[in-house]
Amino acid sequence: MARRVDTSRFHHTYFDGLFGSEPLSRLHPTGRVDLYVGGPGTAAVPDQLADQAPHVAVAPGLTAPEYTDRQTTAVLSLRDLLQLVVLPEDRAAALLGILARQWPVTALIGDRAADLAARLGDEPDAAWRALRWITHLALGGGHAVAQAMENCTAMDPALLRVMLRYAEHRMATTGTGLWDVAHGGWQEDTGLVQALREELVARCGEPAAEAAWWAALAAGDPATGEVSAEDVLLLVEACADWPGAGDRVREGVGVLAARGLLARAGEGSGEILTVPRSGVVRLLRSGAEQQLTGLLARMRHTQDEQGAGQAAPAGRPPAARGWTPWQRNRFATVPGLARLTAAETGGADDERVAALAAETEAELRDQDPAALAGAMEPSATELAPLLDALAAQCRDHYRGTELDVRCPPALWVDVPEPVLRAALYEVIDNAARVVAGTDAGLVQVLATRESPEVLVEVQDSGPGLPAGSRGRRIFTLSAAGREQGRTGGLFRARQLLRAFATPLFEPELEVFESAHPALTGAALRLVLPETAPETAARPAAGRRRLGTGRLPGHRSFGAQVEDDGRRAEGRDVDRDGAVRLRVDAARRQAEVGGAVGAGEGERGAHTAGDGGVGHRLQAHQEPAAAGTVTPTRRTRGSSRVRNVVAAGDPAPAPARARTATRGGW
């Protein structure tokens, strides 16, 4: 039975059988597809269909668009129907070949790596056949394209998904010549290799695990990927110029094993690690030592409590020694931070500091923003001094990253200072983390007044949000961090702001579409309630300001981290032999009690921005649940003010419109 689509000439129904055959059935969870049938004179599909799951539209005068952008609406023209009618068999496959090249490739592979893994299955031959169908239907590629994907990814679902999404946007034709062997194959596609490398690094998570992965890749056997745990740690000690690097990387090995990026066999000194081999992993091996050296240099800058790049005391647990003044902003709303700072200032021993650090982290995990809002009295914060202080600390923490802060003076917001500090930290840190260590990395923080709102927009020059984490799902705990070690930063920031909503105003953290030509990364906006300076300055009238704009125990905002990294002055021609010589030299020195190291001329520690992999987005770059949500558009003059006004008051501006999609099929 068909139902009329409001304000259009279309009727809605659905049909089955498109994915009925055995090779195609695993590509669609239900097999049912929505169908929109238009009447005579229909020339375009309704705008509201753009937010639906992939579907089919048919009408006498309707034709597929000529532009190459893929849409959720696949048009089946009258000419297509006539061609299908004469086919004696396999009409479903032929019809799907017409539709799938108009849909996004996610229509066949799902929105997560787990979805693609389910479609491929566990049986190798069946997985290969499924990949052949996907590349043929969605990309128009033949056997050679599927074979290139298998060679590059070793059928890893997460890497395959990156490669399929990349191919979808790269292809301007039906796929002819994609990764042609005559032109160097996928190995010469630098954009693809970079995208796959970022996926692998993001799966590592924290820097210690990433360092363990690069070390295992550099020291491992080129053919089998096997390496002893002892050789990994010796290479780390040879590439690092600070104590404790081996201990940090040893912890990272366990993280990699839990995430399937390393296989472990044996125990103690006989433990053997294996890096799963794929074409892209083998390709990245040539630069693994260089990446390791640069990453270890950056890790060194975060070890000391003062952020001066000096090694922390050997007995200090990682949780306490890793908190720089910038990172302590995350705990601005936690009472335990004051106790920890007082203990450190008073010269408490390492055990006491470690216990207080653990208590502070536990308080942060258990903190309820709603209860926090109930315990705090209303107060206001001047935005410019707080942003300047945070920017100085962020520059100290992420050396080489440029922060462009623009905020007018005397701009006050009706949010307590500790809450605003913690929320701004999470948003800015997500941006700074992804551009750290890159050339010309830039984070822009722009504050503007649009009474009764204050907008704080944070943009960066990074790669942007992953396709599966756009829209509101970027703030969910399941989508936070693309499987990074520390999750929920943006989720927490949003919850903190929303907890301080009033009957007249709802603070918000949202994604917006940026038209900036250079800042093409993530674009996030804090919507805050404006308040007048004279109101904020009257604590006796029931408004008590919390905080001082500076956390207790922080060093001065202008303190700088000395950048003592050294640039590499060349690499050995025989790379594998050079790595082995360095590991053997380190082993010999360790056996006789000498310091583990390598000649200064042979290797040079990279600076924070040289050749390394910067910290990755944590809260907003992992694959999300099904569906894609269109980022909220905000128009000038719109307001978050609720529709509660007194008699005679002017009506508030209309609420901002939101768009959403129905996830899945």
Side-chain angles (χ1 to χ4, degrees):
M1 180 176 179
R3 291 156 295 277
R4 176 74 178 271
V5 179
D6 293 341
T7 67
S8 75
R9 297 184 179 183
F10 279 88
H11 286 74
H12 168 257
T13 184
Y14 54 83
F15 67 99
D16 300 312
L18 184 60
F19 295 87
S21 61
E22 190 281 329
L24 303 178
S25 60
R26 65 172 59 200
L27 301 182
H28 196 297
T30 66
R32 178 163 293 177
V33 180
D34 287 327
L35 175 65
Y36 294 88
V37 181
T42 302
V45 297
D47 293 337
Q48 57 262 45
L49 298 187
D51 296 330
Q52 305 304 308
H55 53 272
V56 180
V58 59
L62 199 61
T63 58
E66 296 181 356
Y67 51 83
T68 58
D69 290 346
R70 299 186 179 220
Q71 307 292 334
T72 56
T73 300
V75 174
L76 189 62
S77 67
L78 182 60
R79 180 179 180 180
D80 295 330
L81 289 172
L82 293 175
Q83 291 176 341
L84 291 170
V85 167
V86 300
L87 294 179
E89 57 185 11
D90 292 335
R91 291 179 181 173
L95 173 58
L96 193 55
I98 296 172
L99 303 177
R101 294 176 199 178
Q102 301 180 54
W103 285 333
V105 72
T106 51
L108 300 183
I109 68 175
D111 293 286
R112 301 173 301 153
D115 298 334
L116 178 56
R119 286 158 169 76
L120 296 176
D122 299 325
E123 204 274 319
D125 290 341
W128 167 252
R129 288 194 297 271
L131 179 62
R132 283 287 310 276
W133 273 109
I134 292 171
T135 55
H136 170 68
L137 295 173
L139 305 176
H143 180 276
V145 174
Q147 194 170 41
M149 290 187 175
E150 181 191 35
N151 173 265
C152 177
T153 66
M155 299 299 286
D156 180 286
L159 297 180
L160 266 179
R161 187 175 184 278
V162 172
M163 202 167 185
L164 286 164
R165 293 296 306 276
Y166 178 87
E168 170 191 16
H169 296 290
R170 181 179 183 274
M171 295 176 58
T173 64
T174 58
T176 304
L178 185 63
W179 302 312
D180 191 352
V181 176
H183 296 88
W186 63 264
Q187 294 90 339
E188 296 299 320
D189 192 335
T190 56
L192 172 65
V193 173
Q194 177 66 17
L196 294 170
R197 173 181 171 277
E198 290 181 356
E199 171 65 25
L200 287 166
V201 169
R203 288 163 64 182
C204 291
E206 57 265 29
E210 183 185 339
W213 190 78
W214 287 118
L217 189 59
D221 184 271
T224 64
E226 293 183 350
V227 61
S228 69
E230 182 183 7
D231 283 354
V232 169
L233 298 178
L234 286 172
L235 180 59
V236 169
E237 295 293 344
C239 292
D241 57 355
W242 49 279
D247 294 336
R248 291 287 308 278
V249 173
R250 185 180 288 108
E251 298 171 2
V253 169
V255 174
L256 292 179
R259 295 178 179 173
L261 292 173
L262 276 183
R264 307 176 76 170
E267 297 181 355
S269 59
E271 183 180 19
I272 299 298
L273 309 175
T274 303
V275 181
R277 311 302 283 171
S278 63
V280 68
V281 169
R282 290 187 175 92
L283 185 66
L284 293 175
R285 185 174 181 270
S286 61
E289 185 187 355
Q290 180 183 4
Q291 299 292 343
L292 173 64
T293 305
L295 179 58
L296 289 171
R298 289 193 302 278
M299 289 173 62
R300 179 179 185 270
H301 292 306
T302 62
Q303 294 309 298
D304 186 62
E305 292 175 328
Q306 302 301 320
Q310 300 174 358
R316 179 64 56 84
R321 72 184 180 195
W323 289 1
T324 64
W326 168 246
Q327 292 170 318
R328 290 172 185 248
N329 290 299
R330 188 170 191 243
F331 302 89
T333 60
V334 179
L337 179 63
R339 298 192 298 270
L340 174 62
T341 303
E344 291 173 326
T345 305
D349 58 30
D350 294 339
E351 184 176 354
R352 174 60 176 165
V353 170
L356 289 173
E359 291 177 6
T360 304
E361 290 180 330
E363 288 182 23
L364 181 68
R365 289 192 300 269
D366 299 337
Q367 189 174 66
D368 180 8
L372 179 68
M376 281 188 172
E377 296 184 20
S379 64
T381 305
E382 187 176 4
L383 197 54
L386 178 58
L387 285 177
D388 289 342
L390 290 173
Q393 291 178 340
C394 186
R395 292 187 188 101
D396 281 349
H397 185 79
Y398 293 112
R399 301 291 294 176
T401 298
E402 181 180 353
L403 259 75
D404 176 16
V405 177
R406 307 180 187 185
C407 179
L411 187 59
W412 291 79
V413 295
D414 199 6
V415 179
E417 190 272 355
V419 174
L420 185 57
R421 176 185 291 272
L424 285 170
Y425 162 79
E426 298 290 1
V427 178
I428 298 174
D429 187 71
N430 273 312
R433 185 186 312 275
V434 74
V435 301
T438 62
D439 294 335
L442 173 62
V443 176
Q444 183 184 84
V445 182
L446 176 63
T448 57
R449 176 188 288 110
E450 289 193 9
S451 298
E453 297 178 348
V454 171
L455 308 180
V456 181
E457 297 180 345
V458 180
Q459 303 181 69
D460 62 72
S461 58
L465 303 178
S469 296
R470 296 193 177 112
R472 66 169 179 251
R473 287 189 312 280
I474 186 179
F475 302 107
T476 62
L477 282 171
S478 62
R482 299 178 64 193
E483 302 179 10
Q484 299 277 340
R486 194 199 66 154
T487 60
L490 291 184
F491 171 81
R492 177 173 176 261
R494 198 183 208 192
Q495 294 300 102
L496 282 173
L497 293 178
R498 287 182 169 184
F500 286 82
T502 68
L504 296 177
F505 196 95
E506 292 178 320
E508 184 59 286
L509 174 60
E510 61 189 15
V511 180
F512 73 96
E513 293 183 359
S514 172
H516 198 288
L519 300 175
T520 56
L524 300 174
R525 176 192 291 128
L526 289 82
V527 184
L528 307 172
E530 183 188 12
T531 189
E534 58 271 15
T535 304
R538 292 202 301 265
R543 305 186 57 86
R544 181 172 62 85
R545 292 191 60 204
L546 301 182
T548 61
R550 179 174 174 182
L551 289 179
H554 281 204
R555 64 192 180 98
S556 66
F557 296 129
Q560 299 294 318
V561 178
E562 180 184 359
D563 184 3
D564 58 351
R566 298 176 298 277
R567 293 188 176 273
E569 297 178 357
R571 299 178 57 83
D572 297 307
V573 176
D574 185 354
R575 183 199 157 278
D576 295 333
V579 172
R580 178 51 51 194
L581 287 174
R582 294 179 61 181
V583 173
D584 292 342
R587 189 194 306 277
R588 288 194 298 271
Q589 292 188 26
E591 290 174 353
V592 299
V596 177
E600 293 292 331
E602 178 181 337
R603 73 165 178 88
H606 285 237
T607 60
D610 290 330
V613 181
H615 298 295
R616 292 300 186 269
L617 286 168
Q618 295 187 348
H620 64 271
Q621 305 194 341
E622 102 187 305
T628 299
V629 176
T630 305
T632 301
R633 287 183 177 270
R634 187 183 187 284
T635 58
R636 288 279 178 181
S638 65
S639 176
R640 191 69 62 182
V641 179
R642 292 186 176 181
N643 188 20
V644 179
V645 294
D649 288 344
R656 193 174 295 119
R658 292 182 177 273
T659 59
T661 61
R662 293 185 296 184
W665 287 69

